[in-house]
Amino acid sequence: MKDIPELFGSMVFNDKVMEARLPAEVYKALKSTIAEGRPLQLDIANVVAAAMRDWAIEMGATHYTHWFQPLNGITAEKHDSFISPDGECGVIMEFSGKALVKGESDASSFPSGGLRTTFEARGYTAWDPTSYTFIKDDTLCIPTAYCSYGGAALDKKTPLLRSMEAVEKQAMRVMKLFGSDCRRVQTSVGAEQEYFLVDRDVYEKRPDLIFCGRTLVGAKPNKGQEMDDHYYGAINPRVSRFMKELDEELWRLGVLAKTEHKEVAPAQHELAPIYATTNIATDHNQLIMEFLKRIADRHGMVCLLHEKPFAGVNGSGKHNNWSIGTDLGENLLSPGDTPSQNARFMLFLTAMIRAVDKHQDMLRISTVSAGNDHRLGGSEAPPTVISIFLGEQLTGVIDAIIADKSYHEKKRKSLEIGASVLPKFKQDSTDRNRTSPFAFTGNKFEFRMPGSAVSIAGINTVLNTIFAESLCEFADRLENAADFGTELNALIREQLTEHRRIIFDGNNYSAEWGEEAVRRGLLDLRSTVDALKYYDSDENVAMFERFGVMNRAEMHARREIHFENYAKIINIEALTLLDMLKREIIPSAIRFEDRLAETGLRKNEFLGRDCAATERKLLEKVSGIVEVLSDCTDELEAKLAQTRELSGTEAVAGRFHDSVLPAMEKVRRAADELETIVDKRFWPYPTYSEILYSIK
């Protein structure tokens, strides 16, 4: 067995390595620079770069790259070797401080949403020293921000770092009011990652999985997840070997991979890490997604990160567990034993309640994607209406505050489990609401709406910023209060009264809640297209600009990129579906019809009488479905062509949503019905039963 403590972080130029390899004064200066958010001096950067180069070469690295996260949601790398000519027909290994802190990349082929013109190709990367460098594929990877020639953020990390600074600044104002000695306040995140594993041989026979990441046709299998026998079940040996290698690779990179298990749907699994500072957690989640695919391939499998690769069973989400704490080890969302008496906790809780209610649109927008639209609202994914679950105790506290009454806390009772050999233990103050989009779970908020394939950078940029706005409003008022305690109580009561509508502890799937949400005036932005219309509203732009997270141009660019990406995804899906229909599914069905007709004729001829009623009945049924499918295919093709007549990203995305997607659903219904009756030998693609149970 490997020495895991020795293995962990072995490919990371972390604090321990820096302290051992850097001169004491350089190490101290670097740490001070990071803590205070100041630019790194070139003389310090040169020493750090030399130590980093020597360590990387010792670890087998030959190249370095600025590792960044452009607006396509994945990571990007441009590798440069350490070699430089020595002037004597040889080479030396060089890496300067300038090369460490700044790089240049061609930005012309990355999405920009209009932040730069086509001929403005220059893009710059800047080292994020708060996120450790690491070695991957014999390459030193330097986490960086990415911006245009004019300084606009062309990536997902830059706004995230800005939002972290914004929330820290406002939280420190609040902490000062409470007399705290803390010097730092940081948000932290633990992002649970769900995914599917399928056999590579089966995957390669499905063009829709290859090009779209999800199945565009596929009849319901005889057995799905209805027996509840997959969740937390014994892990398949082949999958177990995959998970073991995945853990080791991630541990080498300092990723705190902790929990792994089977999820609800057949072939579905989950990996959950331990919390990390938000920008590091974001980097780690990008690595997790990359290595899920990489390690699966080594084991003859394919990892599907699409939010809804299979209809009729659970989709995959990415539960974003968000918290905030100080450098003194305090979790500012920890209520303690008596939350009704914990004024600081109540203020931070109230800040988030206000933030979520006031900015339902931005929170929903942070989760948009064509894939997530298929997932939200069913099979354990939360609905599209934003609400907060607090549980009986905290909701009782809030209602007592609103009513200006004393709250009598219920004594936590021991939970009887009904077997004498098992111990008694204290009952939690609240159950977990699996249907809630945004749930308080003891000392953190679990945001369950994000999809499995997205970067968590955008999600946490929004969470940080809307929370910072609430804290800023509160601090402005409390700093000028004549009596802090009186004003604090009044502030909390007023804000909870105003935003009580966002709190809901019941079943978010119920029809009654949908009706109640409308009465409360809550938004229900059911699709990506519906939500994105709110993105760069004047109110949202004002908030992001106020805290220096994004300006109007950067927000408009992201809105445009989202609309464009949505349309492109559905266009690819529609083209793939048409190809499958015209070249495989319909011709295969016709061959089956031909076989039925031939069999019936031969049967009648051989027996000398009409005895092919079964063949005739089946042929009529198949023929009728094929005719419907053919008409639906023509309709889909026509509606897809109509999208090319439009201009403007919003208009095009709207047409794909309103016209192309419904046409694709009509095609699917006919194709799936056909799949259930066509001879298996004629059906061109592996079925759901074959895919979902392909891992042996």
Side-chain angles (χ1 to χ4, degrees), residues 356-372:
V356 172
D357 184 33
K358 187 175 180 183
H359 297 290
Q360 301 166 48
D361 56 348
M362 280 308 307
L363 209 54
R364 172 69 180 96
I365 286 165
S366 74
T367 71
V368 297
S369 73
N372 211 25

Side-chain angles (χ1 to χ4, degrees), residues 3 86 91 101 115 127 142 160 176 190 192 343 352 363 380 388 405 427 429 442 497 510 532 562 567 593 633 645 687:
D3 186 338
D86 64 359
V91 295
V101 301
L115 286 174
W127 179 34
I142 305 161
L160 176 64
K176 183 178 179 181
E192 304 168 33
M352 185 57 86
L363 209 54
E380 283 208 6
I388 296 178
K405 296 179 179 179
Q427 187 179 40
S429 60
T497 301
S510 68
L532 285 176
H562 275 302
E593 288 179 296
T633 300
E645 301 170 1
T687 63

Side-chain angles (χ1 to χ4, degrees), residues 166-423:
V167 77
E168 179 174 35
K169 179 179 179 180
Q170 302 308 321
M172 285 296 292
R173 292 175 65 194
V174 173
M175 295 302 289
K176 183 178 179 181
L177 290 168
F178 282 96
S180 174
D181 294 328
C182 71
R183 299 177 63 186
R184 298 293 308 273
V185 176
Q186 291 183 308
T187 58
S188 57
V189 167
E192 304 168 33
Q193 179 71 56
E194 295 175 341
Y195 60 94
F196 281 82
L197 289 174
V198 299
D199 188 84
R200 186 168 57 215
D201 290 342
V202 174
Y203 166 88
E204 290 175 349
K205 297 174 183 175
R206 294 282 314 213
D208 45 2
L209 285 179
I210 293 172
F211 294 119
C212 310
R214 77 178 182 103
T215 52
L216 303 175
V217 294
K220 183 180 178 181
N222 296 330
K223 179 177 181 291
Q225 63 189 54
E226 62 273 13
M227 296 304 296
D228 302 322
D229 57 350
H230 194 265
Y231 192 52
Y232 280 16
I235 298 173
N236 178 291
R238 186 175 171 191
V239 174
S240 182
R241 291 190 293 272
F242 153 81
M243 288 180 170
K244 181 176 183 295
E245 185 175 354
L246 176 65
D247 282 340
E248 291 179 0
E249 291 281 8
L250 292 176
W251 290 339
R252 284 189 177 92
L253 296 174
V255 179
L256 290 159
K258 176 72 172 178
T259 304
E260 55 199 24
H261 61 84
K262 283 184 174 181
E263 257 299 335
V264 173
Q268 189 182 32
H269 304 82
E270 180 179 306
L271 181 151
I274 297 173
Y275 281 71
T277 306
T278 304
N279 65 317
I280 295 176
T282 299
D283 288 352
H284 285 180
N285 187 252
Q286 294 296 125
L287 287 171
I288 286 171
M289 290 192 288
E290 176 184 340
F291 275 81
L292 279 168
K293 294 182 177 181
R294 178 184 298 201
I295 306 302
D297 186 63
R298 294 178 191 170
H299 291 261
M301 299 183 290
V302 173
C303 174
L304 302 176
L305 292 177
H306 194 284
E307 286 77 12
K308 197 73 172 180
F310 305 102
V313 298
N314 272 21
S316 292
K318 186 170 334 214
H319 303 164
N320 191 86
N321 295 283
W322 183 96
S323 193
I324 184 168
T326 73
D327 58 337
L328 301 178
E330 302 166 291
N331 184 328
L332 300 178
L333 292 179
S334 180
D337 294 330
T338 55
S340 60
Q341 299 172 10
N342 191 328
R344 188 181 70 186
F345 163 73
M346 286 306 303
L347 184 67
F348 277 90
L349 179 69
T350 302
M352 185 57 86
I353 292 170
R354 175 194 180 277
V356 172
D357 184 33
K358 187 175 180 183
H359 297 290
Q360 301 166 48
D361 56 348
M362 280 308 307
L363 209 54
R364 172 69 180 96
I365 286 165
S366 74
T367 71
V368 297
S369 73
N372 211 25
D373 281 0
H374 296 293
R375 166 183 167 261
L376 292 177
S379 298
E380 283 208 6
T384 49
V385 176
I386 301 284
S387 65
I388 296 178
F389 169 83
L390 296 178
E392 181 182 358
Q393 185 182 33
L394 270 180
T395 301
V397 170
I398 285 170
D399 287 340
I401 291 172
I402 293 172
D404 198 15
K405 296 179 179 179
S406 297
Y407 175 71
H408 301 288
E409 296 188 49
K410 294 181 179 179
K411 185 178 180 180
R412 288 174 66 187
K413 62 184 179 181
S414 294
L415 190 64
E416 300 283 353
I417 331 179
S420 59
V421 296
L422 297 177

Side-chain angles (χ1 to χ4, degrees), residues 552-590:
R552 183 179 291 275
E554 289 170 331
M555 292 188 68
H556 181 73
R558 282 154 178 77
R559 176 184 184 272
E560 291 293 292
I561 289 168
H562 275 302
F563 271 131
E564 187 176 20
N565 186 60
Y566 179 87
K568 285 179 177 179
I569 286 173
I570 298 176
N571 183 59
I572 291 169
E573 290 181 347
L575 290 172
T576 301
L577 181 56
L578 286 170
D579 192 62
M580 293 172 70
L581 290 165
K582 293 192 292 185
R583 300 182 63 188
E584 294 282 357
I585 293 175
I586 292 175
S588 295
I590 291 172

Side-chain angles (χ1 to χ4, degrees), residues 656-691:
F656 271 105
H657 176 268
D658 297 338
S659 180
V660 176
L661 272 180
M664 291 173 65
E665 285 301 311
K666 285 180 66 176
V667 165
R668 176 164 195 157
R669 286 193 293 271
D672 289 356
E673 184 182 4
L674 193 62
E675 181 187 320
T676 63
I677 56 177
V678 168
D679 188 325
K680 180 180 178 180
R681 293 169 295 178
F682 287 83
W683 194 253
Y685 304 118
T687 63
Y688 268 24
S689 297
E690 294 169 304
I691 303 170

